[in-house]
Amino acid sequence: MPWATTLLGLLLCFSSRYGNQGVVADVEEAVTLGRAALELCPPGHHNRGVCLYSLATYLWTRFTEQAAICDLDEAFELHRAALDLHPSGHRERSSPLHGLALCFLDRYDIRGVVADLEEAIMFGRAALELRPPGHPKRGVFLCTLASGLWRRFKKQAAICDLDEAIKLSQAALELYTSGHSWRFFPLCGLSLCFLSRYDNQGAVTDLEEAVTLAYAALELRPPGHPRRGASLDTLAFALRRRFDKHVTMHDLDKTIELHRAALDLRPPGHPDRSLSLHELALCYSSRYDNQGVVADLEEAVKLGRAALELCPPGHPSRGVSLFNLAFDLVRRSEQLATVCDLDEAFELDHAALELHPPGHPLRPSSLHGLAHCFSSRYDNQGVVADLEEAVRLGRAALELCPPGHFRRGLFLYNLASDLWKRSKQLAAACDLDEAFELYHAALDLHPPGHPPRNSLLRGLALCFSSRYDNQGVVADLEEAVKFGRAALELCPPGHPSRGVCLHDLASDLWKRSKQLAAACDLDEAFELYHAALNLYPPGRPHRFSSLHGLALCFSSRHDNKGVVADLEEAINFGQAVLELCPLGHPSRGVSLYTLASDLLKRFKQLAAVRDLNEAFELHHAALDLRPPGHPDRSSSLSGLALCYSSRYNNQRVVADLQEAVKFGRASLELCPPCHPSRGVSLHNLAVDLWRRFEQLAAVGDLDEAFALHHAALELHPLGHPHRSSSLDAVALCFSSRYDNQGAVADLEEAVMLRHAAVELCPIGHPSRATYLYNLS
């Protein structure tokens, strides 16, 4: 027997043992023997073609094991040489065609060059044509072509490729009956295809079929099998998608278990180790989303870094590794207020975007990641330019996700969130209207039972609450409370979003208590704010919001009941909030304003001038943070008007009264008809004009005060908590005109109005004594 033939026989033995046991030394021996056999078959030798093909095959096998690109390059060269020796019509031509298809597929996986994928499909088709039905190797050729078509679908989203891939894999499965050693390949391929079709079309039956097929594939790769890792991956992919759909923690825990098992089979140096690290990072990130345990987020970041280290520049998975690590770093920055995490996330997302140029399927995710970074930085620093950039990038991402795209719901939600923020910052009604529209569209894509539904309900609650703040329509506030309750119901104890949902619902209940004087709303708001505060211990970034909400509640209860201890608590909480909002913090302005308002109330209660002086200082500081055009500027102007008015009452310096009128007019100008604060602005300016009339006897001031008080009274109908103060203020004007002009009808009107004011203040109301005194 020729020596070359003997070597080829030995080569086949080592190759078979490698296939059964996965011992790399057998591949090394096969390559060595293959080289020796090829040397014995110089050009022109009748066995040279088979030797070229055999050596190429084992070099390719070694490449799949060790990822040495030189092995793949040499396999290409040898397969091409073998193909040249097997022209059209040669009975072995299909073998090098198939070998080249496999090499092009692997090179595509490494470099991501679409031309390699096209070549793989072309050679795969050519090979399959030479393996007609009935040929013993037709099954593996069907699987190879299906694999190429599936990859092209993943790249270009042409559904015809996926349909053909499914058809080919099913045909291969029919050729490999139960128990056949190669049955694994079509089972695994079909699972991936059905999973892709589920991602594309959303049919749950495809998802369940993918899981079933993946379990069947894993059974054919028991512990100890050299190819068990790929089977573990396939089942883990399917179970994670099922978790995303049904939020069954068992599926996620099983997914983590499978990926850990795969990682154990891929020690440092294994070409697929980065894949296992990356997938584990995604799983821990998902578990953090579901359970809010920071340790899971830390693990996600750690694994994401390890995966990225194994994806150097040029690696086809570098872009997605950059993106996912950036995403987890942003969330850690939001959770722990670590600026360095956000800075690093920016750097990683920019790098990912450069790797995903226009037309790349991951470009929308990269745009969305950068939008998320800019939005988070706006939340931390309040720079409007960051918010503008977040909106711009969010729109660009959404444009690349047409209806039917599996990420469209997420991108709708995030763009809506940023538009809502911009509407709060710039008072742009069109932004709020668009946010409503996008939230509703996203909600339609997430029916009951879908995990992101609570975020969308919360977003709608925020929109209704903002529209109430802008327009004062109570129906919007009722809708905000309704959606807020629905969102909270989907966030049971332990849910990572429970804290913000508690806070938002408490805020709307507090507003309703202010609007409708419902004590039960205020009591519930207290309860919810305390529950939220318990979820945000010192050091957590959202703690200041709960403290601020409690300050507002204590202040409101003081307004309702007049208990000084409530006002003291409001000030204590307000000071704690301000300490958490240093210079540059986006919420510093509202913190300054709230504390200043409560200090002014205490000054009126206890006449401590230092409280008034501090209120002046804080209101001026807040006004500096609210330049012309800022939606809260009117509040700061109104606060300063109240301070000047209070100092006039205390010291009787007319210049203070003139300042009070000036700031009051400026505030009213920023509160056009339908503005929710117009009523209180009308009332406060009217009071200061009446005081100036009392001081300077300018009848024009009294006439204007009358007009303003009547306008305020129209905005405070029966049932409005401010109606009693408006009635008493109008009565004061009639009483002053009686004093000035002596018309008894004015006195009668004053008495009638004061009786009406007293009737609206039952025993225990903090203003009842004042109104009774005025009536007497």
Side-chain angles (χ1 to χ4, degrees):
M1 180 183 293
W3 183 236
T5 304
T6 303
L7 290 175
L8 287 173
L10 277 173
L11 185 154
L12 288 173
C13 290
F14 280 109
S15 176
S16 296
R17 192 165 71 181
Y18 168 76
N20 292 329
Q21 300 177 11
V23 179
V24 178
D26 285 336
V27 179
E28 298 290 352
E29 192 66 21
V31 170
T32 301
L33 291 170
R35 290 196 189 284
L38 184 60
E39 289 178 2
L40 295 174
C41 297
H45 194 285
H46 69 281
N47 274 339
R48 184 170 177 81
V50 70
C51 289
L52 287 165
Y53 170 75
S54 297
L55 178 56
T57 298
Y58 301 124
L59 286 166
W60 172 80
T61 301
R62 190 168 71 178
F63 163 77
T64 62
E65 192 71 41
Q66 300 177 0
I69 196 68
C70 58
D71 282 342
L72 183 60
D73 291 340
E74 188 177 358
F76 262 111
E77 181 184 342
L78 295 172
H79 275 310
R80 288 195 187 278
L83 188 63
D84 290 340
L85 295 178
H86 298 105
S88 296
H90 194 288
R91 62 187 182 87
E92 295 297 334
R93 182 174 174 80
S94 64
S95 295
L97 287 169
H98 181 250
L100 282 168
L102 292 173
C103 288
F104 275 113
L105 281 178
D106 282 324
R107 195 164 73 182
Y108 167 74
D109 290 340
I110 293 171
R111 300 177 180 175
V113 178
V114 177
D116 284 336
L117 185 56
E118 297 293 346
E119 287 287 294
I121 292 171
M122 182 190 74
F123 280 108
R125 286 197 191 282
L128 183 62
E129 288 177 3
L130 298 176
R131 291 290 185 259
H135 192 286
K137 291 187 177 181
R138 181 172 172 83
V140 70
F141 286 28
L142 287 165
C143 290
T144 300
L145 178 55
S147 180
L149 290 165
W150 172 74
R151 283 173 169 81
R152 192 165 70 180
F153 166 77
K154 295 282 285 183
K155 179 71 173 178
Q156 300 176 352
I159 195 66
C160 58
D161 281 341
L162 184 59
D163 291 340
E164 187 179 0
I166 291 174
K167 180 180 177 182
L168 294 172
S169 294
Q170 287 173 332
L173 191 62
E174 292 175 3
L175 296 176
Y176 297 136
T177 55
S178 180
H180 196 289
S181 59
W182 283 5
R183 185 173 173 82
F184 160 81
F185 295 105
L187 285 170
C188 186
L190 272 174
S191 178
L192 293 173
C193 286
F194 279 113
L195 203 56
S196 293
R197 194 165 72 180
Y198 164 73
D199 289 341
N200 185 261
Q201 300 177 3
V204 178
T205 53
D206 283 338
L207 179 59
E208 295 298 337
E209 187 68 11
V211 171
T212 300
L213 291 164
Y215 268 115
L218 185 60
E219 289 177 1
L220 298 176
R221 294 291 186 264
H225 193 285
R227 296 292 178 267
R228 182 171 171 82
S231 300
L232 292 165
D233 287 339
T234 303
L235 179 56
F237 295 152
L239 287 173
R240 181 162 169 267
R241 291 291 203 294
R242 193 166 73 177
F243 165 77
D244 291 339
K245 178 65 177 178
H246 300 302
V247 200
T248 305
M249 285 308 301
H250 170 75
D251 281 341
L252 184 57
D253 292 338
K254 183 67 175 176
T255 302
I256 291 174
E257 177 188 332
L258 293 168
H259 279 310
R260 284 280 180 200
L263 185 63
D264 290 341
L265 298 174
R266 295 162 176 172
H270 193 285
D272 292 329
R273 184 172 175 83
S274 64
L275 171 66
S276 293
L277 291 166
H278 177 254
E279 292 298 328
L280 269 173
L282 292 177
C283 290
Y284 280 104
S285 186
S286 293
R287 195 162 73 181
Y288 166 75
D289 289 341
N290 192 261
Q291 300 182 350
V293 179
V294 177
D296 283 336
L297 185 57
E298 297 288 358
E299 189 70 7
V301 170
K302 184 184 79 171
L303 292 164
R305 286 196 192 284
L308 183 60
E309 288 177 4
L310 297 177
C311 298
H315 193 286
S317 297
R318 184 170 176 82
V320 71
S321 295
L322 288 163
F323 168 78
N324 287 324
L325 177 56
F327 180 70
D328 288 328
L329 287 168
V330 172
R331 292 194 299 167
R332 192 167 72 175
S333 77
E334 293 171 345
Q335 181 75 16
L336 305 178
T338 47
V339 177
C340 58
D341 280 340
L342 185 57
D343 292 340
E344 185 181 0
F346 262 108
E347 180 182 341
L348 296 175
D349 271 324
H350 276 296
L353 189 62
E354 290 178 1
L355 295 176
H356 301 147
H360 194 287
L362 293 180
R363 186 167 178 84
S365 295
S366 293
L367 290 167
H368 172 256
L370 264 180
H372 191 189
C373 286
F374 278 107
S375 184
S376 290
R377 192 164 72 184
Y378 166 76
D379 293 340
N380 291 335
Q381 301 177 10
V383 178
V384 178
D386 283 337
L387 187 56
E388 297 288 356
E389 193 66 7
V391 170
R392 183 184 71 83
L393 291 166
R395 287 197 193 284
L398 185 61
E399 287 176 2
L400 297 176
C401 296
H405 192 285
F406 75 105
R407 286 193 176 271
R408 184 170 175 83
L410 174 64
F411 293 0
L412 285 166
Y413 165 76
N414 284 330
L415 178 56
S417 178
D418 290 330
L419 287 167
W420 171 77
K421 290 176 188 176
R422 194 167 71 177
S423 77
K424 294 279 287 182
Q425 180 71 27
L426 305 179
C430 58
D431 281 342
L432 185 57
D433 292 341
E434 188 178 359
F436 264 111
E437 180 184 342
L438 296 176
Y439 273 131
H440 278 295
L443 194 64
D444 290 340
L445 297 176
H446 299 98
H450 202 282
R453 187 171 174 86
N454 72 288
S455 298
L456 299 170
L457 292 168
R458 176 179 175 249
L460 280 170
L462 291 172
C463 286
F464 277 111
S465 186
S466 291
R467 194 162 71 184
Y468 165 75
D469 293 340
N470 294 338
Q471 301 178 8
V473 179
V474 177
D476 282 334
L477 187 56
E478 299 290 353
E479 285 292 288
V481 171
K482 182 186 80 173
F483 278 103
R485 288 198 191 282
L488 184 60
E489 287 176 4
L490 297 178
C491 298
H495 193 286
S497 296
R498 184 170 176 83
V500 291
C501 288
L502 286 165
H503 170 272
D504 293 343
L505 178 57
S507 177
D508 291 327
L509 288 166
W510 172 77
K511 290 177 187 177
R512 193 166 71 175
S513 76
K514 295 277 287 183
Q515 178 72 26
L516 305 179
C520 59
D521 281 342
L522 185 58
D523 291 341
E524 187 179 0
F526 262 111
E527 180 184 342
L528 297 175
Y529 274 131
H530 275 296
L533 189 63
N534 290 335
L535 296 176
Y536 297 128
R540 291 285 293 275
H542 290 297
R543 183 172 175 82
F544 82 90
S545 298
S546 298
L547 291 168
H548 182 252
L550 282 168
L552 294 174
C553 286
F554 277 111
S555 185
S556 292
R557 194 162 72 184
H558 166 263
D559 295 343
N560 294 338
K561 298 181 177 180
V563 179
V564 177
D566 283 336
L567 187 56
E568 297 291 348
E569 282 294 288
I571 290 171
N572 289 337
F573 278 107
Q575 289 170 335
V577 171
L578 190 58
E579 289 177 3
L580 296 175
C581 298
L583 287 171
H585 193 286
S587 295
R588 184 169 176 84
V590 69
S591 302
L592 289 163
Y593 172 80
T594 300
L595 179 56
S597 299
D598 289 331
L599 288 166
L600 181 60
K601 290 178 186 177
R602 190 166 72 178
F603 166 74
K604 291 179 180 179
Q605 187 91 19
L606 305 177
V609 176
R610 66 178 182 277
D611 282 341
L612 180 60
N613 292 337
E614 187 177 357
F616 262 111
E617 180 184 343
L618 295 175
H619 273 311
H620 274 295
L623 187 64
D624 290 341
L625 297 174
R626 296 166 169 178
H630 193 287
D632 293 326
R633 185 172 175 82
S634 63
S635 298
S636 292
L637 291 167
S638 177
L640 279 169
L642 290 171
C643 286
Y644 279 110
S645 185
S646 294
R647 192 162 71 183
Y648 166 76
N649 289 340
N650 186 259
Q651 300 177 8
R652 294 295 167 178
V653 177
V654 177
D656 283 335
L657 188 56
Q658 300 287 18
E659 285 294 289
V661 171
K662 182 185 80 172
F663 279 102
R665 287 196 192 284
S667 176
L668 183 60
E669 287 176 3
L670 297 177
C671 298
C674 296
H675 192 287
S677 297
R678 184 170 175 82
V680 70
S681 293
L682 288 164
H683 171 83
N684 291 338
L685 177 56
V687 168
D688 289 328
L689 287 166
W690 169 78
R691 286 178 179 145
R692 193 166 71 178
F693 163 75
E694 290 282 294
Q695 181 72 26
L696 305 178
V699 177
D701 282 343
L702 183 60
D703 292 341
E704 187 179 359
F706 260 112
L708 295 174
H709 275 313
H710 277 296
L713 191 61
E714 290 178 1
L715 296 175
H716 300 148
L718 283 172
H720 194 285
H722 292 156
R723 184 168 177 82
S724 61
S725 60
S726 290
L727 289 167
D728 185 70
V730 176
L732 197 60
C733 287
F734 276 110
S735 181
S736 292
R737 195 163 69 183
Y738 166 74
D739 293 340
N740 186 260
Q741 300 177 8
V744 177
D746 284 339
L747 186 58
E748 297 289 346
E749 191 70 14
V751 171
M752 181 191 71
L753 290 167
R754 281 189 164 138
H755 271 298
V758 169
E759 289 175 3
L760 294 176
C761 297
I763 295 173
H765 192 285
S767 298
R768 183 176 173 83
T770 301
Y771 295 167
L772 284 169
Y773 173 80
N774 291 340
L775 177 61
S776 66

